[in-house]
Amino acid sequence: MTSSHTDCHYCLQSLRGRKYALRDENAYCVPCYDSLYANPCEECKQPIQCSSKDLSYKGCHWHEECFKCAKCSRSLVEKPFAAKDEVLLCTECYSDEYSSKCFHCQKTIMPGSRKMEFKGSSWHESCFVCQYCRQPLGTKPLITKGNENYCVPCFEKQFAHHCYSCKKVITSGGVTCHDQPWHKECFVCAACKTQLYGQSFISKDEFPYCVDCFSKLYTKKCATCNKPITALGSAKYISFEERQWHGECFKCAKCSVSLVGREFLTQRDDILCHECGSA
């Protein structure tokens, strides 16, 4: 560069007919400018003279010919690059060394491309899809089964249990009765609708009943006391001619002696011991 400036601001030598450089409106001959202001190159450590192109990144400087990938040595001038531990790498070398691999296709997720992360693994956005409908999951709610991800509607169609009572999906918890799933709140006595979760119950025809309702509806009644004969009371019962008795109720209608294991006679609806029946 030549101009009407007459002397170098530093060495005071004449600049007439010579190239010079300007800094803060002051003119310097090339040797003075390079010695005072030239940046050292990060690669070759030599000054970047004013006659050379100075490439800078994050406060560091390189000659144009020194601005290259630290691994493959390809020029990075006007090309995308990445920095790792103050070392410059082309995108290909950076990907080989540091980029995540897609959990689905096992290919590199290139720097600058969008990736999805879930349970410590990474996916290409285009690979992070529902296993069933193949629609992108993005940030939608999802459910994982094995190593496969599903959107909630597809998972429910494929795998979720439906309540035997209300037919709706059981999303958590639940009760099983005769291999049929129920919501806890739907698992009620078929007669009185009392909730049975955590309670004793008896099932009949695939429906649950509380003990009281089952006893009232289905259990046999003692011919003497007319109360249900269930395993919750005395385990022993006696049956004779389509009538049943609790063990403790099977006694003579006249003298009340127990007839369990003894001979007895019948008189109309009564049962009598041998002595009372023969009198």
Side-chain angles (χ1 to χ4, degrees), residues 34 38-41 46-50 52-54 61-63:
D34 287 343
N39 295 305
C41 174
Q46 298 299 313
I48 304 173
Q49 299 175 343
C50 63
S52 301
K53 184 178 287 187
D54 184 335
H61 300 263
W62 289 262
H63 292 104

Side-chain angles (χ1 to χ4, degrees), residues 118-267:
F118 179 65
K119 290 188 175 180
S121 299
S122 301
W123 281 263
H124 292 109
E125 186 177 21
S126 58
C127 292
F128 194 59
V129 298
C130 171
Q131 181 68 21
Y132 186 72
C133 69
R134 312 306 300 175
Q135 293 300 307
L137 290 170
T139 57
K140 297 176 184 176
L142 62 92
I143 301 174
T144 299
K145 182 176 177 63
N147 289 327
E148 297 174 341
N149 301 318
Y150 296 84
C151 64
V152 173
C154 286
F155 184 87
E156 291 179 349
K157 289 177 185 177
Q158 291 292 104
F159 305 110
H161 295 295
H162 291 74
C163 177
Y164 187 74
S165 176
C166 70
K167 310 306 179 186
K168 295 180 180 179
V169 171
I170 300 173
T171 56
S172 62
V175 180
T176 299
C177 179
H178 288 297
D179 295 326
Q180 298 293 347
W182 305 65
H183 288 114
K184 291 179 181 179
E185 58 273 20
C186 293
F187 192 61
V188 298
C189 173
C192 68
K193 307 305 178 185
T194 300
Q195 285 203 352
L196 296 176
Y197 178 69
Q199 306 296 320
S200 297
F201 67 92
I202 302 171
S203 60
K204 182 176 175 59
D205 300 329
E206 297 186 354
F207 288 97
Y209 293 83
C210 66
V211 175
D212 288 342
C213 287
F214 186 86
S215 298
K216 291 175 183 177
L217 294 172
Y218 299 110
T219 57
K220 300 181 183 300
K221 293 181 172 57
C222 176
T224 298
C225 69
N226 206 38
K227 293 181 180 179
I229 299 174
T230 68
L232 297 180
S234 173
K236 291 183 178 181
Y237 73 95
I238 291 86
S239 178
F240 177 73
E241 293 184 350
E242 298 184 356
R243 289 190 294 169
Q244 289 80 31
W245 291 263
H246 293 111
E248 61 272 18
C249 293
F250 191 62
K251 53 191 177 182
C252 176
K254 289 186 176 181
C255 69
S256 298
V257 66
S258 174
L259 298 177
V260 177
R262 298 178 60 180
E263 293 182 356
F264 63 90
L265 302 172
T266 61
Q267 191 176 81

Side-chain angles (χ1 to χ4, degrees), residues 32-50:
C32 287
Y33 183 89
D34 287 343
S35 65
L36 292 171
Y37 301 115
N39 295 305
C41 174
E42 288 292 318
E43 177 65 20
C44 69
K45 310 305 179 185
Q46 298 299 313
I48 304 173
Q49 299 175 343
C50 63

